[in-house]
Amino acid sequence: FWLNREPEYQVRLLSEWVADTRSRDPAVKKAALAALQAMDEQAVTHLAGSLNRDETVLERINRTIGDKIPRRFKQMASGLFDVQRTVDRKREAVHALIMMGTDAQEAVPALGRLLRDPNVLLSSLAGTALAEMGPAAVPELISALDEGDYSLRANACSALGKLRTNALPAAPHLASILWTDTGPILGSASYALSRVG
């Protein structure tokens, strides 16, 4: 508890402010963003750490032998056997980092690791977040272009395209993909290159 204690702002935990970033009420969303900006480095460090945190022991047990546990017991202990919890926690953290934008550049390495996650939704969200980090994310995205997985490379191309001229150092890598690769990655790379200029 003490090692992973969340930062607080105005007597509310970071996770409560992060949950408010998903609100439909613009005033609540605005207050949440102001709170995240006030917590600044503490918030970014904690959110980046939550992206690196893997599933808990109970979540791992549920994933491996969850189908053998009696349904009645799982209903009584539903909070312990919630498989989706890890993905939801990471998704919420990424959305908060997206809202913080370039103020959250410290999270670029953690987002780079999440970009390589086998979960397609998390990988795509990480690409979107990296695009919001500005030029600081370009080296991480360039290194992702050299890896073999199509969805990883496509997410990196999409993020580079969103960065536009800030991603100019990636232009030779994108051009190299057009010259040497085949398959659907060509469309992603050419679109990104056209946006980079």
Side-chain angles (χ1 to χ4, degrees):
F1 170 79
W2 292 108
L3 289 174
N4 294 311
R5 191 159 182 198
E6 288 184 54
E8 292 181 25
Y9 179 72
Q10 294 182 350
V11 199
R12 292 187 74 203
L13 292 172
L14 172 62
S15 58
E16 294 173 298
W17 290 114
V18 168
D20 284 355
T21 63
R22 307 291 288 155
S23 172
R24 292 176 190 256
D25 182 350
V28 172
K29 216 172 187 173
K30 186 177 178 181
L33 180 57
L36 291 173
Q37 288 171 336
M39 286 187 267
D40 194 28
E41 195 176 316
Q42 280 185 313
V44 174
T45 302
H46 191 82
L47 292 169
S50 72
L51 296 181
N52 293 331
R53 202 171 311 128
D54 291 325
E55 39 185 22
T56 65
V57 174
L58 286 170
E59 289 167 340
R60 199 172 310 123
I61 289 169
N62 184 44
R63 185 175 42 77
T64 53
I65 63 166
D67 56 337
K68 296 174 181 69
I69 296 170
R71 188 168 168 232
R72 182 179 168 121
F73 178 75
K74 283 177 85 170
Q75 285 175 336
M76 289 187 321
S78 61
L80 299 176
F81 292 99
D82 184 6
V83 179
Q84 193 64 25
R85 188 184 318 166
T86 304
V87 173
D88 289 343
R89 177 176 28 86
K90 289 181 179 184
R91 185 176 46 81
E92 297 260 325
V94 172
H95 279 294
L97 291 168
I98 288 171
M99 284 187 71
M100 294 178 79
T102 54
D103 292 340
Q105 288 181 353
E106 182 189 320
V108 166
L111 287 166
R113 284 188 290 281
L114 193 64
L115 184 67
R116 291 157 176 83
D117 196 277
N119 183 306
V120 178
L121 170 67
L122 291 177
S123 177
S124 176
L125 275 174
T128 302
L130 284 165
E132 294 297 321
M133 300 298 125
V138 172
E140 191 69 49
L141 293 166
I142 289 173
S143 73
L145 290 176
D146 296 332
E147 297 181 26
D149 182 55
Y150 165 73
S151 62
L152 166 63
R153 296 173 81 198
N155 288 333
C157 285
S158 174
L160 289 166
K162 289 174 186 169
L163 284 166
R164 292 187 167 268
T165 55
N166 288 327
L168 207 52
H173 295 275
L174 293 167
S176 173
I177 290 172
L178 294 177
W179 185 254
T180 60
D181 285 35
T182 59
I185 193 63
L186 294 178
S188 301
S190 62
Y191 175 74
L193 195 56
S194 71
R195 303 266 297 181
V196 167

